[in-house]
Amino acid sequence: MVSVCWESGVCCKALTRVRHHDQIRPERRPFKMGDPVQLKDEGNKYFQAGDIDKAIECYSEAIKVSKDKKVLAVLHRNRSACYLKKENYACAASDASKAIDVDAADIKALYRRCQALEKLGKLDMAFKDVQRCATLEPKNKTFLETLRRLGAEIQAKLKTTFSTDSRVQNMFDILFNEDMDKEKKEKAANNLIVLSREDAGAERIFQNNGVALLLNMIETGKPEMILAAVRTLSGMCTGHKARVSIFIERIKIKEIAMATCNLFQCINDSLTGEDTMEYGKEEALVLDASKDLKTILLSLLEMVANNKVSGHGRDQALNLLTKNVPRKDLKEKDNSRTLFTVDHGLKKILKVCGQVPELPDQLSLTENTQLIASVLLNKLYDDLKCDPERNNFRDICDEYVKSKIDPNNMDKNLHAINTISGLLQGPFEVGNALVGTQGIMEMMVALCGSEREVDQMVAVEALIHASTKMSRATFIITNGVSLLKDLYKKTKNEKIKIRALVGLCKLGSAGGDDYSLRQFAEGSTEKLAKQCRKWLCNPQIDTKTRKWAIEGLAYLTNDADVKDDFVEDELALKAMFELAKSKDKTILYAVACTLVNCTNSYDKKEILPELVQLAKFSKQHVPEQHPKDKKDFVEKRVKRLLKAGVTSALAVMVKADSSILTDQTKEMLARVFLALSESPKDRGTIVAQGGGKALIPLAMEGTDAGKVKASHALAKIAAISNPEIAFPGERVYEVVRPLVSLLHTDREGLQNYEALRGLTNLAAYSEKLRMKLVKEKALPEIENYMFEEHEQIRQAATECMCNLVTCKEVQERYLEDSNDKLKLLVLLCGEDDESLQIAAAGALAMLTAAQKKLCTKLTRVTAQWLEILQRLCLHTNPQIQHRGLVIIYNMLNSDDSDLAKKLIESELLEILSVIGKAEDNPKRQEAIDAARTCLVRAMDLGLIKPFTSPS
């Protein structure tokens, strides 16, 4: 890397004494038009006479006609002096810069630019210019005085600028000033955000009645002011229990949560201790945080069913409950927050699930609200520890649904059925039990036959969700297929027709990918899929309805014929990807399922032929693979998906709301990424479309299987990509931990190997990344794999270590007594695998160059050391030979004179002589030069003498 010192386009000039013999303005003498020298002289005379405007005019005319660079530099320098007189500092700086461009040591121009920059307030740049002047003329008192003065001014300005009290006061002054314009007030509010994240700034804001001011900002109703105020409060709440307790007394959590969930999260983490900060003395001020936590929880539950809350506010409340109520680890004993939520808020969450937007007087919802509520219900149910707790949950749900059933009020019945749909998408067994209760299925069938379209839609959606499990699907195949077929054929409403079709799709795929368990006749699934694709590609149909077409494909793509037809339909693929990028994120799960099916990235148990024959003999069912599910077909489908832009769609999906993007959905996305990155040729496309960045969060959060799959895909990309491009900015450091996690012994050999290759590439990138590998405790794992019997894994581990040995921490491990690390490197140099030898010898060469003690230690770890080094120096591979000779030079250059003597007394001297005397050869020049360097070093040590011929 070449560092370039760039000087800004401004100028300054050293002052010189000008003797004014008289102050009488001279008459302008006639001169030859276009003569820059005469124009310059004329300008000088006007300047001396004090007529600055005329002087500028002369210099400007001369600049227009002059072609000599040196003359131009003088003209610009002179005009700069004029502009200084006129107090036009920007033009003065610009002209001086043009003179400096010609001659960087033009001391007059430098000082004039310094003067101009000082007046413009650019003290740091002015300081650099006068510093340069003082370097050129160290005894010039003017320069030294200016240097001292500017230095003092800069320090004073920094002190004022960075004074916390001053900054806080300035922001408050601007916000309290009614005459201040809107832009400056908003800027001040944003500056408060930065201040609130510093301890001193947060306390100063708090002490200056900052809470009241920030609440006033929220009440303005202006989004930018609300956001700035809430972010400031978030910074002030972080890690400070006492301050949080006071906030809870003075502000309404509901209003804050509606603006943003970040403040609540900071409050919650502070009170629960999940922010892992050390509180110090102030922690003693809050003895029991449970009361405050319950206050917050009740406020959020109130928001969930409050008809005054916006759809986005409701989503935020549900998201916060999902994130903070259920235990993060089921091994924890305390699930009191879940029990509290079930007792005080379960009915409110069920109310959200039961909303039918097409009916009047419903709660305000977004496209995602009801699915978020279902996810929350599922997490709450999973967090229950025993049967009595689960029974209580089921009883509340049962009581709520029955309370909404009313033979005389169809709208209430719709609410009850939609609530069951929400439960079927969440805790399925609870919803399934409700479907089985007397009268519910009959009501669903009756609603399907209703004349109201909204009744039909609600009933069909409930039927679709009820057929998720194969056992329930069997029941509905018997009782409901004819009903769905009638709806599909008779209704003219596209919204109902597509839902009925999805129900048929779902029932038709009950056998999964087992080719032998088809529910419908040959060709029926292809016809259903064709209709789904037709709806999917129709832009006239609304997004919510087209979403159901993907739901249908999610089930039908279990059939390989459907998969192949779908990926060949590029318009349908792109339509699905566009929907995946839309605001309605309820579609994510269906898109992920479809992509998993198309890429065959689901878990597939290998079936041995012998077991198949045995099963057939015993008349047991044996799953059959579709001919189009073989590897060649899968690879073609992957190519088609990449061409259609699947990676960019996946990258958008990963950024979805955390509640919508469930752990199961994340796992499916990770599986798809892994399938896409299987071929090295496709990884560049994945990187170009943002796949590298999207994989990082998938590798950090989700199910264990999902994290492993995402980490494996990251390893594949990291192994062959430029890290700076694949993972731009600070993201590259986040890749290290997922890759290190693949080094555990319980991972598959392929995962170990590709993780090592990825880490090798990262370790070659920068010292900071190498230090990150050390901090993530990757060294012991890498060293273990250097002992691995599998040749490729051992080679990958050795190559990774070769890139890590420049770290002092790694070198210290090799300096430790009684370890086999150095011995292993020496022995690996003697292996037959050339790639392994290159890596081991490279590591040894760098270690012995960095740590001279290792040169002597190398001779003690094994008796074969000399033989191995000789083999390296005689190797036919130039890279290996060069590394061996570098090791020899390092040993000769060590402080051990006995070692150097031992080397020269061995056959190595003859080897060095033969290589050193060889003719220059571009292919082996590095080795030849290294041998000659070794011989010169031996002569310097007095171990050999140069050969001289007789005169």
Side-chain angles (χ1 to χ4, degrees), residues 840-946:
L844 205 56
M846 286 188 282
L847 281 171
T848 51
Q851 300 291 340
K852 293 184 177 182
K853 291 181 181 179
L854 289 176
C855 296
T856 305
K857 186 176 179 180
L858 181 154
T859 64
R860 298 172 185 162
V861 294
T862 174
Q864 304 172 39
W865 69 272
L866 187 56
E867 179 187 345
I868 290 171
L869 290 180
Q870 288 174 350
R871 285 182 59 192
L872 290 178
C873 294
L874 290 169
H875 208 286
T876 55
N877 187 318
Q879 292 186 61
I880 298 173
Q881 186 181 39
H882 176 240
R883 284 160 170 75
L885 290 165
V886 169
I887 297 169
I888 298 299
Y889 173 77
N890 293 338
M891 296 173 78
L892 288 171
N893 201 39
S894 71
D895 298 329
D896 191 341
S897 56
D898 292 336
L899 173 58
K901 185 177 180 182
K902 189 173 184 179
L903 288 172
I904 296 303
E905 288 176 352
S906 70
E907 294 177 359
L908 272 171
L909 177 58
E910 185 178 349
I911 294 170
L912 293 172
S913 300
V914 171
I915 299 171
K917 290 178 181 177
E919 293 183 3
D920 288 352
N921 182 345
K923 293 182 179 180
R924 310 188 75 90
Q925 196 60 44
E926 285 184 330
I928 294 169
D929 291 341
R932 292 170 180 171
T933 306
C934 289
L935 291 169
V936 170
R937 179 59 182 162
M939 284 189 286
D940 292 342
L941 293 172
L943 299 174
I944 60 174
K945 294 181 180 180

Side-chain angles (χ1 to χ4, degrees), residues 566-567 569-578 640-641 644:
F566 182 44
V567 297
D569 189 344
E570 191 170 342
L571 288 176
L573 283 178
K574 289 186 175 180
M576 183 176 76
F577 296 155
E578 286 304 312
R640 297 288 300 179
L641 287 168

Side-chain angles (χ1 to χ4, degrees), residues 281-507:
K281 293 180 180 179
E282 65 86 20
E283 186 173 20
L285 300 175
V286 183
L287 299 176
D288 182 12
S290 59
K291 183 179 178 182
D292 290 335
L293 286 169
K294 286 181 179 179
T295 302
I296 296 168
L297 202 51
L298 287 170
S299 297
L300 289 173
L301 290 171
E302 182 189 344
M303 283 183 65
V304 167
N306 191 318
N307 58 7
K308 295 181 179 179
V309 174
S310 68
H312 290 291
R314 204 176 320 280
D315 285 356
Q316 292 291 2
L318 290 166
N319 282 332
L320 291 166
L321 290 167
T322 302
K323 184 175 181 181
N324 295 287
V325 172
R327 292 169 292 170
K328 292 180 174 59
D329 186 351
L330 294 179
K331 293 178 181 178
E332 295 177 15
K333 294 181 180 180
D334 184 16
N335 69 338
S336 58
R337 280 184 291 186
T338 295
L339 298 177
F340 183 86
T341 303
V342 170
D343 290 338
H344 294 83
L346 181 54
K347 289 184 179 180
K348 294 175 180 178
I349 303 168
L350 291 172
K351 181 179 178 180
V352 175
C353 289
Q355 298 299 295
V356 182
E358 291 78 8
L359 297 179
D361 301 323
Q362 301 295 293
L363 296 176
S364 178
L365 306 174
T366 68
E367 301 93 337
N368 306 316
T369 306
Q370 288 172 300
L371 181 58
I372 296 172
S374 294
V375 171
L376 173 57
L377 289 172
N378 191 55
K379 284 187 173 290
L380 291 173
Y381 189 75
D382 287 345
D383 198 44
L384 301 175
K385 297 191 292 185
C386 58
D387 288 341
E389 293 178 0
R390 296 186 190 95
N391 289 337
N392 178 53
F393 188 99
R394 285 193 285 263
D395 290 344
I396 294 173
C397 293
D398 186 59
E399 180 188 341
Y400 181 83
V401 170
K402 287 179 179 177
S403 71
K404 298 298 177 183
I405 295 174
D406 185 350
N408 300 318
N409 190 331
M410 190 57 71
D411 288 357
K412 288 184 72 176
N413 292 335
L414 287 182
H415 185 94
I417 297 301
N418 224 28
T419 302
I420 294 174
S421 286
L423 287 165
L424 288 167
Q425 294 176 80
F428 181 83
E429 63 179 87
V430 178
N432 198 25
L434 285 169
V435 171
T437 57
Q438 187 175 3
I440 296 296
M441 184 59 74
E442 289 78 3
M443 186 187 296
M444 290 164 65
V445 172
L447 287 171
C448 285
S450 170
E451 294 182 359
R452 281 204 314 178
E453 291 177 348
V454 65
D455 297 346
Q456 293 177 2
M457 278 196 293
V458 170
V460 172
E461 288 184 19
L463 278 172
I464 292 169
H465 295 311
S467 59
T468 296
K469 299 291 183 183
M470 193 171 177
S471 59
R472 177 55 54 181
T474 305
F475 173 80
I476 296 177
I477 285 171
T478 308
N479 298 277
V481 169
S482 59
L483 183 64
L484 290 170
K485 284 183 177 178
D486 286 343
L487 273 174
Y488 178 70
K489 291 176 182 177
K490 294 177 182 179
T491 185
K492 294 181 180 180
N493 187 314
E494 292 286 337
K495 295 179 180 180
I496 297 171
K497 186 182 281 288
I498 196 169
R499 284 164 172 77
L501 177 66
V502 171
L504 292 171
C505 293
K506 197 169 186 179
L507 299 175

